[in-house]
Amino acid sequence: MNDIPGRPQAASSAASTTEPYRVMVVDDSAVIRGLLTRTLEGDGTIRVVASVANGQMAINTLQRQTLDVIVLDIEMPVMDGLTALPQLIAADPAVKVIMASTLTAKNADISLRALRAGASDYVTKPSSTRELTGAESFKAELVSKVQALGEAARRADPSKGAPSRPLAPRPVVAPIPGAAPAAAPAGTAAPAAPSPIRSRLLDHGPVVLRPAPDIRPDIIAIGSSTGGPQALFEVMANFRGGLQQPIVITQHMPATFTTILAEHITRQCGIECAEAKDGEPIVGGRAYVAPGDNHLLLVSRNGVTTAQLTKDPPENFCRPAVDPMLRSIVKIYGRKVLAVILTGMGHDGRGGCDQVVQAGGMVVGQDEASSVVWGMPGAVAMAGLCSSILPLKEIGPFIRKIALRTAA
């Protein structure tokens, strides 16, 4: 099942507080362009300002238009999407690009290559216009992603227009008993802080950092969604050699895409990674990706931990989902869990991270500045569940340090 999170908060207020997000649709089929345009403009927060048939036309249009989001087909004549992508980003580094393709192994591979080349996300189109016309889940996914990435584009470049929800002017951390000293507001003396928060925060109130438990984890669990593949490659490149713990990953992706994702992690990060198989033992030093359209759970029988794949109902609009994975892990590993929540829409992972914390484990979240969308890590952070909130480039080295320290 594709990632279909609930609409971001911008959806309820953007129409009344900002101009609609400006979108260009790029597809060689005029029928598909029309269907995508009607889907997007059916929501009051989005306006399709350009509709073109190939990558070269998209580049020419972007040089004349101010855009927030581009929905870019992969296979087109004259210039395909993967060829056009770097030129579009060079023309406007703040524009957000969503790759659109049908669900094939070839297109999954191209989409993941596009994400590494700078695309922000992808959507999998139904394979026929008849299917697309009635594909309500696809339409909801597309609208949600355009809204979230339109918001991110305006944060990256304020000249595009005001975002619907302003950021707080400075980082703030509220201390709790036993926690590390907080980062001081601007203009005051800063106390020493071994794990300072570095994210720019939502205007919902201060983030509370929990005391970091003094443990070496027996397992590392990672959850991610929008922007997640790029973040996973960055983080897991630091795990090459030396880590003894198993790594389990739930990335909101459909089937086929998760197969290709695991292959890319193996090739690019130098760590053995594959889709989890039902009933297989969980072995240290290997990474397991939840297959698309399946929840990945861990179970223990006769002292052996194995993977269990289920078709239980979606949670947080997703299957696979992070929460059921984390709940199952806590039952086996207790306090020896390190949970990491990376960029993504929605709040999947918040409930599972609460159980990790209640068991005495550790939660690390990606900061807002480095997240494509600060939904999932933001939800965990705002719930006061994180011991550390770090920029993406610091998460991998931090995990490695915790994973390799002396057992406690």
Side-chain angles (χ1 to χ4, degrees), residues 153-239:
R154 294 185 180 186
R155 296 194 192 291
D157 182 359
S159 70
K160 290 181 179 293
S164 64
R165 175 183 48 74
L167 290 172
R170 61 179 181 271
V172 178
V173 178
I176 59 176
T188 64
S195 299
I197 186 172
R198 295 191 175 94
S199 64
R200 299 179 69 191
L201 305 178
L202 302 173
D203 54 0
H204 297 166
V207 164
V208 175
L209 287 182
R210 304 187 65 83
D214 186 20
I215 60 167
R216 185 179 73 182
D218 287 341
I219 189 167
I220 298 164
I222 304 176
S224 53
S225 183
T226 308
Q230 309 97 301
L232 285 168
F233 298 143
E234 176 72 36
V235 168
M236 296 189 68
N238 294 274
F239 299 168

Side-chain angles (χ1 to χ4, degrees), residues 214-370:
D214 186 20
I215 60 167
R216 185 179 73 182
D218 287 341
I219 189 167
I220 298 164
I222 304 176
S224 53
S225 183
T226 308
Q230 309 97 301
L232 285 168
F233 298 143
E234 176 72 36
V235 168
M236 296 189 68
N238 294 274
F239 299 168
R240 189 189 308 266
L243 263 63
Q244 299 176 359
Q245 296 88 343
I247 302 155
V248 290
I249 301 164
T250 288
Q251 159 71 38
H252 296 161
M253 272 186 162
T256 305
F257 272 68
T258 48
T259 304
I260 305 300
L261 174 65
E263 294 174 357
H264 277 242
I265 289 173
T266 297
R267 291 199 305 266
Q268 297 172 23
C269 303
I271 180 170
E272 189 174 355
C273 180
E275 279 187 321
K277 297 179 175 61
D278 192 57
E280 74 172 314
I282 299 298
V283 179
R286 296 187 60 184
Y288 304 83
V289 174
D293 203 31
N294 289 270
H295 294 307
L296 170 59
L297 311 180
L298 268 56
V299 296
S300 180
R301 296 190 180 96
N302 301 319
V304 177
T305 299
T306 61
Q308 182 181 66
L309 305 182
T310 80
K311 295 284 190 179
D312 291 342
E315 293 193 28
N316 309 307
F317 303 95
C318 302
R319 187 172 65 207
V322 180
D323 278 339
M325 178 183 74
L326 291 177
R327 291 196 303 265
S328 71
I329 289 171
V330 170
K331 291 178 182 177
I332 299 170
Y333 293 92
R335 64 190 293 267
K336 295 297 188 71
V337 177
L338 172 56
V340 183
I341 305 299
L342 302 176
T343 174
M345 288 192 290
H347 57 77
D348 188 27
R350 182 174 59 193
C353 283
D354 182 66
Q355 294 203 13
V356 170
V357 166
Q358 295 302 320
M362 179 185 293
V363 175
V364 176
Q366 184 175 348
D367 77 346
E368 185 170 12
S370 67

